[in-house]
Amino acid sequence: MTLRDSAMYPVEFEVNGEKRMIRVRAADILLYTLRDNLGLTGSKSGCGNGDCGTCTILVEGLPMKSCLILTVEASGKQIITIEGLLNSPVQNAFVQNQAFQCGYCTPGFIVNCEGLRNMLPYADEGTIRVWLESNICRCTSYEEIHNAVKDVFTPKK
């Protein structure tokens, strides 16, 4: 066993419904573990300090910025990434409303809005606007994004 191996910690969690067990350093950031160790590249690195939301994932159903979470902190948790939300109502609403331009921020917005659905399934207009403030779109696709999220919360006839 090398010195590097002895500084590795086992972490077990559920990612997108699949149990995963990996070994990481104490300082490893969850965003990079998901991308580099597990091949889940939908969460993006944007600001590195939790301001932009491109790295948003769901931890136990709540939106979290994965650039701010140590991988060891996620041990025992249930994690959902954008890859785990394929064909979700939120993703479908984004497609229907063309709520993306370059697409870099889109996974974070979709995951964040899925978290809103989990927390407040009957969110009103004001709640949706406030909730969307935690993510940034540099291409200014905000109206389309807002319309997509609003569609998810509008009762179907």
Side-chain angles (χ1 to χ4, degrees), residues 32-87:
Y32 299 108
T33 299
L34 292 169
R35 291 180 60 80
D36 301 338
N37 297 71
L38 301 179
L40 299 170
T41 58
S43 299
K44 307 289 189 245
S45 176
C47 63
N49 61 10
D51 289 335
C52 73
T54 61
C55 68
T56 304
I57 61 172
L58 297 177
V59 178
E60 301 291 324
L62 301 174
M64 303 278 183
K65 310 293 176 68
S66 62
C67 72
L68 299 177
I69 303 171
L70 294 172
T71 303
V72 293
E73 293 177 301
S75 189
K77 305 283 189 209
Q78 181 186 42
I79 297 168
I80 303 287
T81 67
I82 187 66
E83 290 88 349
L85 295 176
L86 185 63
N87 294 318

